[in-house]
Amino acid sequence: MKKAGIIMIVGALLLLGLFKFPLWNIMLGAPQYPEPLGMNIYIHGIEGVEEFDLQNIDGLNHYIGMKTIPKAEDMWEFSVFPIVIVFMVVLGTVIGLLGYFQKLNYKYFLGWFLLMSVLGILGIYDFNNWLIDYGSNLDPNAIIKVTNPDGSPMSYKPPLIGYQKLLNFDVDSWPHLGGYLMFIGMTLTLVAFWAGRKASLKPTTQ
Amino acid sequence: MKTIITPILAIVAVLSTLTSCNNSNNSGALSNNNAEKVYVAPGDHDSHYAFISGGFSGNLTVYGLPSGRLFKEIPVFSQFPTNGYGYSEETKPMFETSYGFVPWDDSHHPDISQTNGKLDGRWIFINGNNTPRIARISLTTFETEEIIEVPNSAGNHSSSFITENTEYVVAGTRFSVPVPQKDIPIKTYKGNFKGALSFISVDPEHGHMDIKFQILMPGFNYDLSHPGRGKSHGWFFFTTYNTEEANTLLEVNASQNDKDFIAAINWKKIEEYVKKGGGTMMPANYAHNVYDEHKHTATSTMKKEVRVVNPSEVPGAVYFIPTPKSPHGCDVDPSGEYIVGNGKLSANLTVHSFTKMLDAIENKKFAGEAYGIPILNFEDVLAGSVEQPGLGPLHTEFDGQGNAYTTFFISSEVVKWKLGTWEVIDRKPTYYSVGHLTIPGGNSAEPFGKYMFAMNKITKDRYLPTGPEMEHSAQLYDISGEKMELLLDFPTHGEPHYAAAIPAEIIKNNSRKIYRLDENQHEKKTLSGSDVKIVRDGKNVHIYMTMIRSHFAPDNIEGIKVGDKVFFHITNLEQDFDVPHGFAIIGANNAELLIAPGQTRTLTWEPKQVGVWPFYCTDFCSALHQEMQGYVRVSPTNSNIELSWSLGED
């Protein structure tokens, strides 16, 4: 159980990477932007990949009537997400410590993982809702209006994950370093669960 | 089946013979792939920048090598309506001189700054020949940052060459003149006229220029110059003609002496003398114009004195080396040992030895003196000569492999010869009447000897004709092999008098993409649409305006009157690479403006007619560029309509 406890703690601590590195990254390339414009999405706000990218994305989006990219204070998510992550890191560390000292069943590791997964899915759901709103809730006075073949207004929602062509832009949306650290951390908590289970099963199999 | 197979085999056999034939003797179509050698595919970058002087255009043009594509014209000494340089209030001070506003010049010799004799790509200097001036251009912004006028000088031709750590840029006068200027008979030329050779120091940090001293030389014509380098660092060499000191019909009277001089100047010795207070301060009047990158504004200051040095007062600092015959180019090889004096009327090419010169000086072997300056013996200093290489030698550059390349104006060719053995290795025609040639870094201790280009005065029959006047042309040669190979002709704007070229890597990553708005210190800047305002000050109206894709703020202005002087102070709020905006207004008597991202520019407009007059963006900036416009209502002089402005209100 000692090893499992350590793995659990390491896994939980890897979530701290989200405070330093972006969770997600969206890049917008176009023929006239050979160096693509990009935004890094952190749990506490959105920043341009290059210094003036956000200003330039907003400038372009204004033609199609998109809202400007929200500042940290414009969205409750950017104040709540850091609290949730801190909570999960503390919780995971405490569970890991208790596991290390054999005070607690390895199944709590799985419990943490499931809770984190539920929160993660809620987060992705929320993120997707924001993307839908950002990409389709357009200014009715927008200068450029493009419709789908069926006549409905075109949505400029960036892909939740992966690549998509949006008018002249090639849009790539992928997790970034903070996101990968989180996924590795979550995987480690599963490993901790498996290791804890193996350790606790040992006496009975011998 | 057999009947088919046999001919196929035969064809294969023939093809393989042909192929092996081509491979073996390395000639024919496969080796002559000159188109490929200059082809830079769409989206790819050239390997070198070439900065070619515009001659009578007064500017500097930027080309790519090997493609010969024109990238930019940098306005330096001439007003440039394309972007309003010399018309906008910020840039007008760049043209101030002691003769007033001089909005044109004849720019000749660009030279890139050096550190330890190697091109460092920080600045490029160029001379204004007509109204003696030296300009410094930043190679991060590609804008002219400074222009200093040179007093006591006329025909600033033996310029703007720089020493190996950019300590000095020189400005040598081609025409000798009375110093100080005065009203005297031209016939009294001899002995009364002086040739000023100016040493302008360059601040190592900011590049700011200052005339440290002028050497008042005898009244010859100082044609071209080059700094010593390596072992001869600390010396500067100037070719002279008209050592006869004639003042009329010079084509005959200045060509009488069998030998003229190369003036060898130990500038370090003069620098020491000056540091100890040597020389005298002479009253003068010359402009020093400095452009501030953060204020986006130039200021002009008149300087009132200059330090002059009489060479006879500094023994051991100046010598004359006899050189046949009316030498033009004066070129120092990368090692600093050889000084090539191209006697343009001489059959042979003369090369002097720096080591022999020092020996002769040490042993005091002088042939005489002129105006107190010792003259060395021709034979004592001669390193060797290239025998009858062509007609009318002008300029020489070096490839760093021990070879020299000299242009011959009269026989229209470039001749490659070997330093030390003086043998001719190769010659290639140029089309036609070649002046200078350039090898990237060929004017430094470390040439990049892959390409050479020749700059020609006459273009006839090389391109489609364009009436009696055609652009001049340059020709690019591959010099990587033993023999030179002509790769490309390309037209150049103005007179491609001389050029400096440099590998692209040294410059391109430092090139500025935008001006930061948060560093904009222009006195009349407007940093956001909400700061827009209009202020009347008597007849002067100051409009503080912004521009961003795709609108001006404000776009409707009322309360201007006939007789007002309207100053549009416009800030481009973009922070995106390559998105300048233009500003033009009907009836402007000066120019339009092109304003770079983050920059502020001021255009003056004096409305003369009552009406509602449009202004608009001239640089196609976005899908809504055509909509980027506004109106100014101009009322009669006695109207009492209040100033007002708006944007987005119905």
Side-chain angles (χ1 to χ4, degrees), chain A residues 56-94:
Chain A
N56 290 324
I57 291 170
D58 283 341
L60 291 167
N61 287 348
H62 125 97
Y63 293 131
I64 49 174
M66 280 165 93
K67 286 193 282 290
T68 54
I69 296 161
K71 303 264 182 297
E73 58 271 21
D74 298 337
M75 282 176 66
W76 60 267
E77 286 90 341
F78 292 129
S79 47
V80 170
F81 283 0
I83 296 168
V84 171
I85 296 300
V86 168
F87 171 76
M88 289 306 291
V89 169
V90 171
L91 184 67
T93 310
V94 168

Side-chain angles (χ1 to χ4, degrees), chain B residues 479-587:
Chain B
I479 56 164
S480 56
E482 178 82 354
K483 302 286 182 188
M484 298 175 275
E485 197 159 0
L486 176 60
L487 300 179
L488 180 72
D489 276 14
F490 59 99
T492 57
H493 186 54
E495 186 216 1
H497 192 95
Y498 181 49
I502 184 169
E505 286 69 37
I506 301 176
I507 288 183
K508 72 173 178 185
N509 295 328
N510 298 327
S511 182
R512 187 177 282 275
K513 294 182 171 176
I514 59 165
Y515 294 101
R516 295 179 61 102
L517 276 171
D518 57 12
E519 289 176 359
N520 183 326
Q521 295 165 19
H522 192 290
E523 286 180 6
K524 303 281 170 39
K525 66 180 182 279
T526 310
L527 291 184
S528 79
S530 54
D531 295 335
V532 161
K533 62 183 182 211
I534 302 183
V535 180
R536 177 178 283 283
D537 173 17
K539 289 267 183 198
N540 292 338
V541 180
H542 295 271
I543 300 178
Y544 296 78
M545 186 180 259
T546 65
M547 51 180 13
I548 194 161
R549 278 165 290 182
S550 331
H551 63 268
F552 294 96
D555 63 0
N556 281 331
I557 297 162
E558 303 197 0
I560 306 291
K561 298 173 204 173
V562 170
D564 281 347
K565 197 170 182 182
V566 181
F567 297 89
F568 290 96
H569 307 289
I570 311 169
T571 303
N572 181 346
L573 297 183
E574 302 283 352
Q575 296 284 264
D576 192 1
F577 185 26
D578 199 22
V579 188
H581 292 296
F583 176 83
I585 185 160
I586 192 168

Side-chain angles (χ1 to χ4, degrees), chain B residues 7-205:
Chain B
I8 288 174
L9 283 177
I11 289 167
V12 169
V14 169
L15 281 178
S16 58
T17 319
L18 282 173
T19 316
S20 61
C21 188
N22 276 335
N23 284 343
S24 61
N25 64 18
N26 197 24
S27 66
L30 280 182
S31 70
N32 188 16
N33 54 349
N34 289 349
E36 273 177 37
K37 286 184 184 168
V38 301
Y39 182 68
V40 178
D44 285 355
H45 288 178
D46 281 278
S47 62
H48 293 75
Y49 286 95
F51 298 92
I52 304 185
S53 78
F56 43 73
S57 87
N59 291 336
L60 184 69
T61 46
V62 187
Y63 287 81
L65 298 180
S67 72
R69 297 182 294 193
L70 170 66
F71 298 145
K72 187 174 198 166
E73 179 167 2
I74 304 172
V76 185
F77 294 115
S78 291
Q79 277 179 309
F80 199 59
T82 306
N83 65 5
Y85 177 82
Y87 296 99
S88 65
E89 295 304 315
E90 291 79 6
T91 53
K92 274 154 72 171
M94 295 302 277
F95 291 99
E96 288 304 328
T97 74
S98 62
Y99 308 93
F101 188 81
V102 181
W104 69 279
D105 214 311
D106 177 18
S107 63
H108 276 193
H109 308 115
D111 208 8
I112 296 170
S113 57
Q114 297 180 15
T115 303
N116 298 324
K118 295 176 202 160
L119 302 187
D120 61 25
R122 302 172 73 192
W123 306 298
I124 187 162
F125 298 84
I126 191 165
N127 56 324
N129 182 45
N130 171 70
T131 305
R133 287 176 277 186
I134 298 283
R136 180 177 55 82
I137 296 144
S138 158
L139 289 181
T140 54
T141 61
F142 287 63
E143 286 201 49
T144 305
E145 285 189 335
E146 191 171 0
I147 293 178
I148 193 163
E149 190 186 351
V150 185
N152 299 329
S153 194
N156 176 32
H157 194 261
S158 37
S159 319
S160 57
F161 303 103
I162 56 171
T163 53
E164 71 176 28
N165 289 300
T166 320
E167 295 99 335
Y168 291 99
V169 49
V170 301
T173 191
R174 178 173 142 210
F175 308 111
S176 283
V177 289
V179 176
Q181 273 290 5
K182 57 188 170 216
D183 173 20
I184 57 171
I186 299 169
K187 276 191 184 313
T188 61
Y189 182 110
K190 198 164 191 166
N192 280 327
F193 284 39
K194 295 271 178 236
L197 306 180
S198 308
F199 282 71
I200 302 169
S201 63
V202 179
D203 177 274
E205 182 83 10

Side-chain angles (χ1 to χ4, degrees), chain B residues 619-648:
Chain B
D619 188 357
F620 212 108
C621 56
S622 76
L624 294 157
H625 160 75
Q626 290 298 83
E627 286 77 1
M628 193 164 167
Q629 64 179 55
Y631 287 103
V632 181
R633 175 181 170 190
V634 178
S635 306
T637 311
N638 55 4
S639 111
N640 51 11
I641 293 172
E642 284 296 305
L643 271 181
S644 66
W645 59 93
S646 64
L647 172 71

